[in-house]
PDB file of all heavy atoms in Angstrom:
ATOM      1  N   THR N   1       4.209  11.911   1.068  1.00  0.00           N
ATOM      2  CA  THR N   1       3.892  13.194   0.444  1.00  0.00           C
ATOM      3  C   THR N   1       3.067  12.995  -0.825  1.00  0.00           C
ATOM      4  O   THR N   1       2.041  13.651  -1.040  1.00  0.00           O
ATOM      5  CB  THR N   1       5.182  13.960   0.098  1.00  0.00           C
ATOM      6  OG1 THR N   1       5.903  14.238   1.295  1.00  0.00           O
ATOM      7  CG2 THR N   1       4.861  15.271  -0.603  1.00  0.00           C
ATOM      8  N   ILE N   2       3.513  12.058  -1.657  1.00  0.00           N
ATOM      9  CA  ILE N   2       2.829  11.823  -2.929  1.00  0.00           C
ATOM     10  C   ILE N   2       1.410  11.319  -2.700  1.00  0.00           C
ATOM     11  O   ILE N   2       0.450  11.801  -3.313  1.00  0.00           O
ATOM     12  CB  ILE N   2       3.636  10.823  -3.782  1.00  0.00           C
ATOM     13  CG1 ILE N   2       4.919  11.492  -4.282  1.00  0.00           C
ATOM     14  CG2 ILE N   2       2.810  10.318  -4.966  1.00  0.00           C
ATOM     15  CD1 ILE N   2       5.866  10.544  -4.976  1.00  0.00           C
ATOM     16  N   LEU N   3       1.243  10.353  -1.802  1.00  0.00           N
ATOM     17  CA  LEU N   3      -0.088   9.782  -1.580  1.00  0.00           C
ATOM     18  C   LEU N   3      -1.039  10.796  -0.939  1.00  0.00           C
ATOM     19  O   LEU N   3      -2.235  10.816  -1.262  1.00  0.00           O
ATOM     20  CB  LEU N   3       0.020   8.531  -0.715  1.00  0.00           C
ATOM     21  CG  LEU N   3       0.619   7.305  -1.416  1.00  0.00           C
ATOM     22  CD1 LEU N   3       0.786   6.151  -0.426  1.00  0.00           C
ATOM     23  CD2 LEU N   3      -0.239   6.871  -2.597  1.00  0.00           C
ATOM     24  N   GLU N   4      -0.533  11.628  -0.045  1.00  0.00           N
ATOM     25  CA  GLU N   4      -1.385  12.650   0.570  1.00  0.00           C
ATOM     26  C   GLU N   4      -1.851  13.670  -0.467  1.00  0.00           C
ATOM     27  O   GLU N   4      -3.015  14.082  -0.477  1.00  0.00           O
ATOM     28  CB  GLU N   4      -0.633  13.348   1.706  1.00  0.00           C
ATOM     29  CG  GLU N   4      -0.485  12.482   2.952  1.00  0.00           C
ATOM     30  CD  GLU N   4       0.326  13.155   4.034  1.00  0.00           C
ATOM     31  OE1 GLU N   4       0.926  14.224   3.752  1.00  0.00           O
ATOM     32  OE2 GLU N   4       0.377  12.614   5.167  1.00  0.00           O
ATOM     33  N   GLU N   5      -0.948  14.081  -1.354  1.00  0.00           N
ATOM     34  CA  GLU N   5      -1.312  15.031  -2.409  1.00  0.00           C
ATOM     35  C   GLU N   5      -2.297  14.401  -3.388  1.00  0.00           C
ATOM     36  O   GLU N   5      -3.269  15.030  -3.819  1.00  0.00           O
ATOM     37  CB  GLU N   5      -0.052  15.496  -3.156  1.00  0.00           C
ATOM     38  CG  GLU N   5       0.895  16.341  -2.331  1.00  0.00           C
ATOM     39  CD  GLU N   5       0.334  17.722  -2.048  1.00  0.00           C
ATOM     40  OE1 GLU N   5      -0.515  18.190  -2.832  1.00  0.00           O
ATOM     41  OE2 GLU N   5       0.735  18.334  -1.037  1.00  0.00           O
ATOM     42  N   LEU N   6      -2.051  13.135  -3.748  1.00  0.00           N
ATOM     43  CA  LEU N   6      -2.960  12.445  -4.662  1.00  0.00           C
ATOM     44  C   LEU N   6      -4.326  12.238  -4.026  1.00  0.00           C
ATOM     45  O   LEU N   6      -5.353  12.260  -4.716  1.00  0.00           O
ATOM     46  CB  LEU N   6      -2.373  11.085  -5.072  1.00  0.00           C
ATOM     47  CG  LEU N   6      -1.248  11.116  -6.103  1.00  0.00           C
ATOM     48  CD1 LEU N   6      -0.706   9.710  -6.326  1.00  0.00           C
ATOM     49  CD2 LEU N   6      -1.724  11.692  -7.429  1.00  0.00           C
ATOM     50  N   GLU N   7      -4.358  12.015  -2.714  1.00  0.00           N
ATOM     51  CA  GLU N   7      -5.630  11.836  -2.001  1.00  0.00           C
ATOM     52  C   GLU N   7      -6.520  13.055  -2.182  1.00  0.00           C
ATOM     53  O   GLU N   7      -7.748  12.935  -2.329  1.00  0.00           O
ATOM     54  CB  GLU N   7      -5.348  11.599  -0.516  1.00  0.00           C
ATOM     55  CG  GLU N   7      -6.559  11.193   0.291  1.00  0.00           C
ATOM     56  CD  GLU N   7      -7.043   9.792  -0.042  1.00  0.00           C
ATOM     57  OE1 GLU N   7      -6.227   8.858  -0.049  1.00  0.00           O
ATOM     58  OE2 GLU N   7      -8.253   9.663  -0.289  1.00  0.00           O
ATOM     59  N   MET N   8      -5.911  14.233  -2.168  1.00  0.00           N
ATOM     60  CA  MET N   8      -6.678  15.467  -2.344  1.00  0.00           C
ATOM     61  C   MET N   8      -7.050  15.702  -3.805  1.00  0.00           C
ATOM     62  O   MET N   8      -8.151  16.135  -4.118  1.00  0.00           O
ATOM     63  CB  MET N   8      -5.870  16.654  -1.799  1.00  0.00           C
ATOM     64  CG  MET N   8      -5.707  16.646  -0.286  1.00  0.00           C
ATOM     65  SD  MET N   8      -4.923  18.134   0.355  1.00  0.00           S
ATOM     66  CE  MET N   8      -3.233  17.897  -0.230  1.00  0.00           C
ATOM     67  N   ALA N   9      -6.120  15.399  -4.718  1.00  0.00           N
ATOM     68  CA  ALA N   9      -6.354  15.669  -6.136  1.00  0.00           C
ATOM     69  C   ALA N   9      -7.229  14.619  -6.798  1.00  0.00           C
ATOM     70  O   ALA N   9      -8.061  14.940  -7.656  1.00  0.00           O
ATOM     71  CB  ALA N   9      -5.007  15.773  -6.877  1.00  0.00           C
ATOM     72  N   ASP N  10      -7.048  13.348  -6.426  1.00  0.00           N
ATOM     73  CA  ASP N  10      -7.770  12.257  -7.081  1.00  0.00           C
ATOM     74  C   ASP N  10      -7.900  11.099  -6.092  1.00  0.00           C
ATOM     75  O   ASP N  10      -7.119  10.141  -6.132  1.00  0.00           O
ATOM     76  CB  ASP N  10      -7.017  11.807  -8.343  1.00  0.00           C
ATOM     77  CG  ASP N  10      -7.831  10.881  -9.222  1.00  0.00           C
ATOM     78  OD1 ASP N  10      -8.756  10.232  -8.698  1.00  0.00           O
ATOM     79  OD2 ASP N  10      -7.546  10.806 -10.438  1.00  0.00           O
ATOM     80  N   PRO N  11      -8.894  11.141  -5.208  1.00  0.00           N
ATOM     81  CA  PRO N  11      -9.034  10.105  -4.162  1.00  0.00           C
ATOM     82  C   PRO N  11      -9.153   8.693  -4.731  1.00  0.00           C
ATOM     83  O   PRO N  11      -8.616   7.748  -4.149  1.00  0.00           O
ATOM     84  CB  PRO N  11     -10.328  10.514  -3.432  1.00  0.00           C
ATOM     85  CG  PRO N  11     -10.477  11.964  -3.708  1.00  0.00           C
ATOM     86  CD  PRO N  11      -9.912  12.187  -5.084  1.00  0.00           C
ATOM     87  N   GLY N  12      -9.852   8.535  -5.847  1.00  0.00           N
ATOM     88  CA  GLY N  12     -10.015   7.212  -6.450  1.00  0.00           C
ATOM     89  C   GLY N  12      -8.685   6.624  -6.882  1.00  0.00           C
ATOM     90  O   GLY N  12      -8.400   5.436  -6.644  1.00  0.00           O
ATOM     91  N   LEU N  13      -7.850   7.447  -7.512  1.00  0.00           N
ATOM     92  CA  LEU N  13      -6.536   6.998  -7.951  1.00  0.00           C
ATOM     93  C   LEU N  13      -5.654   6.669  -6.752  1.00  0.00           C
ATOM     94  O   LEU N  13      -4.949   5.655  -6.743  1.00  0.00           O
ATOM     95  CB  LEU N  13      -5.861   8.076  -8.808  1.00  0.00           C
ATOM     96  CG  LEU N  13      -4.444   7.797  -9.287  1.00  0.00           C
ATOM     97  CD1 LEU N  13      -4.400   6.526 -10.124  1.00  0.00           C
ATOM     98  CD2 LEU N  13      -3.898   8.989 -10.070  1.00  0.00           C
ATOM     99  N   ALA N  14      -5.714   7.513  -5.721  1.00  0.00           N
ATOM    100  CA  ALA N  14      -4.913   7.263  -4.513  1.00  0.00           C
ATOM    101  C   ALA N  14      -5.295   5.941  -3.865  1.00  0.00           C
ATOM    102  O   ALA N  14      -4.432   5.174  -3.431  1.00  0.00           O
ATOM    103  CB  ALA N  14      -5.094   8.414  -3.519  1.00  0.00           C
ATOM    104  N   ASP N  15      -6.593   5.643  -3.814  1.00  0.00           N
ATOM    105  CA  ASP N  15      -7.057   4.384  -3.226  1.00  0.00           C
ATOM    106  C   ASP N  15      -6.582   3.190  -4.036  1.00  0.00           C
ATOM    107  O   ASP N  15      -6.153   2.169  -3.482  1.00  0.00           O
ATOM    108  CB  ASP N  15      -8.580   4.390  -3.145  1.00  0.00           C
ATOM    109  CG  ASP N  15      -9.125   3.146  -2.445  1.00  0.00           C
ATOM    110  OD1 ASP N  15      -8.757   2.908  -1.291  1.00  0.00           O
ATOM    111  OD2 ASP N  15      -9.901   2.414  -3.092  1.00  0.00           O
ATOM    112  N   GLU N  16      -6.640   3.318  -5.372  1.00  0.00           N
ATOM    113  CA  GLU N  16      -6.190   2.232  -6.240  1.00  0.00           C
ATOM    114  C   GLU N  16      -4.702   1.962  -6.042  1.00  0.00           C
ATOM    115  O   GLU N  16      -4.256   0.809  -6.007  1.00  0.00           O
ATOM    116  CB  GLU N  16      -6.471   2.582  -7.707  1.00  0.00           C
ATOM    117  CG  GLU N  16      -6.189   1.453  -8.674  1.00  0.00           C
ATOM    118  CD  GLU N  16      -6.555   1.806 -10.101  1.00  0.00           C
ATOM    119  OE1 GLU N  16      -7.062   2.926 -10.342  1.00  0.00           O
ATOM    120  OE2 GLU N  16      -6.314   0.967 -10.986  1.00  0.00           O
ATOM    121  N   ILE N  17      -3.926   3.029  -5.890  1.00  0.00           N
ATOM    122  CA  ILE N  17      -2.485   2.889  -5.689  1.00  0.00           C
ATOM    123  C   ILE N  17      -2.204   2.217  -4.348  1.00  0.00           C
ATOM    124  O   ILE N  17      -1.375   1.303  -4.248  1.00  0.00           O
ATOM    125  CB  ILE N  17      -1.796   4.264  -5.748  1.00  0.00           C
ATOM    126  CG1 ILE N  17      -1.833   4.799  -7.191  1.00  0.00           C
ATOM    127  CG2 ILE N  17      -0.349   4.185  -5.258  1.00  0.00           C
ATOM    128  CD1 ILE N  17      -1.440   6.246  -7.307  1.00  0.00           C
ATOM    129  N   ARG N  18      -2.900   2.636  -3.296  1.00  0.00           N
ATOM    130  CA  ARG N  18      -2.689   2.059  -1.961  1.00  0.00           C
ATOM    131  C   ARG N  18      -2.958   0.556  -1.964  1.00  0.00           C
ATOM    132  O   ARG N  18      -2.244  -0.216  -1.320  1.00  0.00           O
ATOM    133  CB  ARG N  18      -3.599   2.749  -0.936  1.00  0.00           C
ATOM    134  CG  ARG N  18      -3.191   4.173  -0.587  1.00  0.00           C
ATOM    135  CD  ARG N  18      -4.096   4.745   0.494  1.00  0.00           C
ATOM    136  NE  ARG N  18      -3.890   6.167   0.681  1.00  0.00           N
ATOM    137  CZ  ARG N  18      -2.928   6.701   1.421  1.00  0.00           C
ATOM    138  NH1 ARG N  18      -2.086   5.900   2.039  1.00  0.00           N
ATOM    139  NH2 ARG N  18      -2.803   8.006   1.539  1.00  0.00           N
ATOM    140  N   LYS N  19      -3.991   0.146  -2.691  1.00  0.00           N
ATOM    141  CA  LYS N  19      -4.344  -1.271  -2.742  1.00  0.00           C
ATOM    142  C   LYS N  19      -3.238  -2.104  -3.380  1.00  0.00           C
ATOM    143  O   LYS N  19      -3.089  -3.285  -3.082  1.00  0.00           O
ATOM    144  CB  LYS N  19      -5.651  -1.464  -3.511  1.00  0.00           C
ATOM    145  CG  LYS N  19      -6.879  -1.005  -2.750  1.00  0.00           C
ATOM    146  CD  LYS N  19      -8.141  -1.205  -3.582  1.00  0.00           C
ATOM    147  CE  LYS N  19      -9.377  -0.766  -2.809  1.00  0.00           C
ATOM    148  NZ  LYS N  19     -10.610  -0.902  -3.638  1.00  0.00           N
ATOM    149  N   MET N  20      -2.477  -1.492  -4.297  1.00  0.00           N
ATOM    150  CA  MET N  20      -1.448  -2.238  -5.024  1.00  0.00           C
ATOM    151  C   MET N  20      -0.058  -2.096  -4.418  1.00  0.00           C
ATOM    152  O   MET N  20       0.878  -2.776  -4.831  1.00  0.00           O
ATOM    153  CB  MET N  20      -1.408  -1.784  -6.492  1.00  0.00           C
ATOM    154  CG  MET N  20      -2.658  -2.114  -7.272  1.00  0.00           C
ATOM    155  SD  MET N  20      -2.562  -1.537  -8.985  1.00  0.00           S
ATOM    156  CE  MET N  20      -1.203  -2.526  -9.606  1.00  0.00           C
ATOM    157  N   MET N  21       0.084  -1.214  -3.425  1.00  0.00           N
ATOM    158  CA  MET N  21       1.413  -0.941  -2.890  1.00  0.00           C
ATOM    159  C   MET N  21       2.021  -2.159  -2.196  1.00  0.00           C
ATOM    160  O   MET N  21       3.211  -2.378  -2.206  1.00  0.00           O
ATOM    161  CB  MET N  21       1.340   0.219  -1.890  1.00  0.00           C
ATOM    162  CG  MET N  21       1.187   1.581  -2.524  1.00  0.00           C
ATOM    163  SD  MET N  21       2.684   2.100  -3.382  1.00  0.00           S
ATOM    164  CE  MET N  21       3.794   2.336  -2.016  1.00  0.00           C
ATOM    165  N   PHE N  22       1.173  -2.940  -1.539  1.00  0.00           N
ATOM    166  CA  PHE N  22       1.656  -4.144  -0.850  1.00  0.00           C
ATOM    167  C   PHE N  22       0.613  -5.216  -1.109  1.00  0.00           C
ATOM    168  O   PHE N  22      -0.534  -5.091  -0.680  1.00  0.00           O
ATOM    169  CB  PHE N  22       1.787  -3.872   0.653  1.00  0.00           C
ATOM    170  CG  PHE N  22       2.369  -5.027   1.425  1.00  0.00           C
ATOM    171  CD1 PHE N  22       3.707  -5.037   1.756  1.00  0.00           C
ATOM    172  CD2 PHE N  22       1.584  -6.101   1.815  1.00  0.00           C
ATOM    173  CE1 PHE N  22       4.259  -6.092   2.477  1.00  0.00           C
ATOM    174  CE2 PHE N  22       2.114  -7.164   2.526  1.00  0.00           C
ATOM    175  CZ  PHE N  22       3.464  -7.151   2.855  1.00  0.00           C
ATOM    176  N   VAL N  23       0.973  -6.259  -1.822  1.00  0.00           N
ATOM    177  CA  VAL N  23       0.039  -7.331  -2.127  1.00  0.00           C
ATOM    178  C   VAL N  23       0.215  -8.461  -1.123  1.00  0.00           C
ATOM    179  O   VAL N  23       1.223  -8.542  -0.416  1.00  0.00           O
ATOM    180  CB  VAL N  23       0.222  -7.859  -3.567  1.00  0.00           C
ATOM    181  CG1 VAL N  23      -0.052  -6.758  -4.570  1.00  0.00           C
ATOM    182  CG2 VAL N  23       1.623  -8.430  -3.775  1.00  0.00           C
ATOM    183  N   PHE N  24      -0.771  -9.347  -1.040  1.00  0.00           N
ATOM    184  CA  PHE N  24      -0.775 -10.395  -0.026  1.00  0.00           C
ATOM    185  C   PHE N  24       0.491 -11.250  -0.089  1.00  0.00           C
ATOM    186  O   PHE N  24       1.063 -11.610   0.941  1.00  0.00           O
ATOM    187  CB  PHE N  24      -2.019 -11.268  -0.184  1.00  0.00           C
ATOM    188  CG  PHE N  24      -2.113 -12.369   0.833  1.00  0.00           C
ATOM    189  CD1 PHE N  24      -2.422 -12.092   2.155  1.00  0.00           C
ATOM    190  CD2 PHE N  24      -1.886 -13.694   0.475  1.00  0.00           C
ATOM    191  CE1 PHE N  24      -2.496 -13.105   3.104  1.00  0.00           C
ATOM    192  CE2 PHE N  24      -1.957 -14.714   1.411  1.00  0.00           C
ATOM    193  CZ  PHE N  24      -2.270 -14.411   2.725  1.00  0.00           C
ATOM    194  N   GLU N  25       0.945 -11.582  -1.307  1.00  0.00           N
ATOM    195  CA  GLU N  25       2.131 -12.431  -1.460  1.00  0.00           C
ATOM    196  C   GLU N  25       3.384 -11.784  -0.883  1.00  0.00           C
ATOM    197  O   GLU N  25       4.365 -12.476  -0.573  1.00  0.00           O
ATOM    198  CB  GLU N  25       2.357 -12.780  -2.932  1.00  0.00           C
ATOM    199  CG  GLU N  25       1.397 -13.805  -3.504  1.00  0.00           C
ATOM    200  CD  GLU N  25       0.000 -13.254  -3.751  1.00  0.00           C
ATOM    201  OE1 GLU N  25      -0.178 -12.007  -3.696  1.00  0.00           O
ATOM    202  OE2 GLU N  25      -0.916 -14.063  -3.982  1.00  0.00           O
ATOM    203  N   ASP N  26       3.366 -10.442  -0.712  1.00  0.00           N
ATOM    204  CA  ASP N  26       4.535  -9.752  -0.159  1.00  0.00           C
ATOM    205  C   ASP N  26       4.726 -10.026   1.327  1.00  0.00           C
ATOM    206  O   ASP N  26       5.711  -9.577   1.915  1.00  0.00           O
ATOM    207  CB  ASP N  26       4.413  -8.236  -0.384  1.00  0.00           C
ATOM    208  CG  ASP N  26       4.571  -7.856  -1.841  1.00  0.00           C
ATOM    209  OD1 ASP N  26       5.193  -8.640  -2.579  1.00  0.00           O
ATOM    210  OD2 ASP N  26       4.072  -6.809  -2.251  1.00  0.00           O
ATOM    211  N   ILE N  27       3.810 -10.757   1.926  1.00  0.00           N
ATOM    212  CA  ILE N  27       3.938 -11.077   3.351  1.00  0.00           C
ATOM    213  C   ILE N  27       5.230 -11.852   3.624  1.00  0.00           C
ATOM    214  O   ILE N  27       5.787 -11.794   4.718  1.00  0.00           O
ATOM    215  CB  ILE N  27       2.708 -11.872   3.846  1.00  0.00           C
ATOM    216  CG1 ILE N  27       2.630 -11.821   5.378  1.00  0.00           C
ATOM    217  CG2 ILE N  27       2.716 -13.306   3.338  1.00  0.00           C
ATOM    218  CD1 ILE N  27       1.314 -12.351   5.935  1.00  0.00           C
ATOM    219  N   VAL N  28       5.735 -12.560   2.599  1.00  0.00           N
ATOM    220  CA  VAL N  28       6.984 -13.315   2.783  1.00  0.00           C
ATOM    221  C   VAL N  28       8.174 -12.383   2.970  1.00  0.00           C
ATOM    222  O   VAL N  28       9.240 -12.818   3.420  1.00  0.00           O
ATOM    223  CB  VAL N  28       7.251 -14.268   1.587  1.00  0.00           C
ATOM    224  CG1 VAL N  28       6.148 -15.306   1.460  1.00  0.00           C
ATOM    225  CG2 VAL N  28       7.402 -13.494   0.282  1.00  0.00           C
ATOM    226  N   LYS N  29       8.021 -11.096   2.638  1.00  0.00           N
ATOM    227  CA  LYS N  29       9.115 -10.139   2.796  1.00  0.00           C
ATOM    228  C   LYS N  29       9.197  -9.587   4.213  1.00  0.00           C
ATOM    229  O   LYS N  29      10.156  -8.900   4.559  1.00  0.00           O
ATOM    230  CB  LYS N  29       8.940  -8.978   1.805  1.00  0.00           C
ATOM    231  CG  LYS N  29       8.925  -9.405   0.345  1.00  0.00           C
ATOM    232  CD  LYS N  29       8.679  -8.221  -0.572  1.00  0.00           C
ATOM    233  CE  LYS N  29       8.616  -8.640  -2.029  1.00  0.00           C
ATOM    234  NZ  LYS N  29       8.308  -7.511  -2.936  1.00  0.00           N
ATOM    235  N   LEU N  30       8.173  -9.872   5.021  1.00  0.00           N
ATOM    236  CA  LEU N  30       8.167  -9.375   6.391  1.00  0.00           C
ATOM    237  C   LEU N  30       8.995 -10.285   7.303  1.00  0.00           C
ATOM    238  O   LEU N  30       9.047 -11.497   7.086  1.00  0.00           O
ATOM    239  CB  LEU N  30       6.735  -9.310   6.920  1.00  0.00           C
ATOM    240  CG  LEU N  30       5.758  -8.374   6.211  1.00  0.00           C
ATOM    241  CD1 LEU N  30       4.365  -8.521   6.826  1.00  0.00           C
ATOM    242  CD2 LEU N  30       6.229  -6.932   6.302  1.00  0.00           C
ATOM    243  N   PRO N  31       9.595  -9.734   8.345  1.00  0.00           N
ATOM    244  CA  PRO N  31      10.276 -10.568   9.337  1.00  0.00           C
ATOM    245  C   PRO N  31       9.258 -11.460  10.045  1.00  0.00           C
ATOM    246  O   PRO N  31       8.065 -11.138  10.109  1.00  0.00           O
ATOM    247  CB  PRO N  31      10.869  -9.539  10.311  1.00  0.00           C
ATOM    248  CG  PRO N  31      10.859  -8.239   9.584  1.00  0.00           C
ATOM    249  CD  PRO N  31       9.719  -8.293   8.630  1.00  0.00           C
ATOM    250  N   ASP N  32       9.727 -12.580  10.612  1.00  0.00           N
ATOM    251  CA  ASP N  32       8.828 -13.514  11.290  1.00  0.00           C
ATOM    252  C   ASP N  32       8.025 -12.828  12.401  1.00  0.00           C
ATOM    253  O   ASP N  32       6.822 -13.077  12.563  1.00  0.00           O
ATOM    254  CB  ASP N  32       9.625 -14.684  11.876  1.00  0.00           C
ATOM    255  CG  ASP N  32      10.101 -15.641  10.787  1.00  0.00           C
ATOM    256  OD1 ASP N  32       9.541 -15.598   9.674  1.00  0.00           O
ATOM    257  OD2 ASP N  32      11.026 -16.435  11.039  1.00  0.00           O
ATOM    258  N   ALA N  33       8.678 -11.961  13.145  1.00  0.00           N
ATOM    259  CA  ALA N  33       7.985 -11.291  14.248  1.00  0.00           C
ATOM    260  C   ALA N  33       6.830 -10.439  13.741  1.00  0.00           C
ATOM    261  O   ALA N  33       5.762 -10.359  14.374  1.00  0.00           O
ATOM    262  CB  ALA N  33       8.966 -10.426  15.039  1.00  0.00           C
ATOM    263  N   SER N  34       7.017  -9.801  12.601  1.00  0.00           N
ATOM    264  CA  SER N  34       5.954  -8.975  12.025  1.00  0.00           C
ATOM    265  C   SER N  34       4.807  -9.840  11.521  1.00  0.00           C
ATOM    266  O   SER N  34       3.631  -9.490  11.683  1.00  0.00           O
ATOM    267  CB  SER N  34       6.514  -8.132  10.871  1.00  0.00           C
ATOM    268  OG  SER N  34       7.460  -7.198  11.341  1.00  0.00           O
ATOM    269  N   ILE N  35       5.127 -10.980  10.914  1.00  0.00           N
ATOM    270  CA  ILE N  35       4.070 -11.893  10.447  1.00  0.00           C
ATOM    271  C   ILE N  35       3.254 -12.387  11.635  1.00  0.00           C
ATOM    272  O   ILE N  35       2.020 -12.445  11.578  1.00  0.00           O
ATOM    273  CB  ILE N  35       4.684 -13.082   9.678  1.00  0.00           C
ATOM    274  CG1 ILE N  35       5.349 -12.591   8.388  1.00  0.00           C
ATOM    275  CG2 ILE N  35       3.600 -14.112   9.343  1.00  0.00           C
ATOM    276  CD1 ILE N  35       6.055 -13.678   7.611  1.00  0.00           C
ATOM    277  N   GLN N  36       3.920 -12.704  12.733  1.00  0.00           N
ATOM    278  CA  GLN N  36       3.214 -13.162  13.930  1.00  0.00           C
ATOM    279  C   GLN N  36       2.299 -12.068  14.470  1.00  0.00           C
ATOM    280  O   GLN N  36       1.170 -12.341  14.918  1.00  0.00           O
ATOM    281  CB  GLN N  36       4.215 -13.605  14.994  1.00  0.00           C
ATOM    282  CG  GLN N  36       4.991 -14.858  14.609  1.00  0.00           C
ATOM    283  CD  GLN N  36       6.257 -15.050  15.418  1.00  0.00           C
ATOM    284  OE1 GLN N  36       6.400 -14.495  16.505  1.00  0.00           O
ATOM    285  NE2 GLN N  36       7.189 -15.837  14.894  1.00  0.00           N
TER     286      GLN N  36
END
C-alpha cells in the first residue's frame, strides 16, 4: 500500500526505496531452494 501510494506521489522516492528494500547481501536470508 505504501509503495503504491508513494509511486503516484513521488516516483523517484519510491524507486530509491525499492532499491534499498533488499540488498544483495540479504541473499543469505533466503532458503536454499530460493537461492537456487
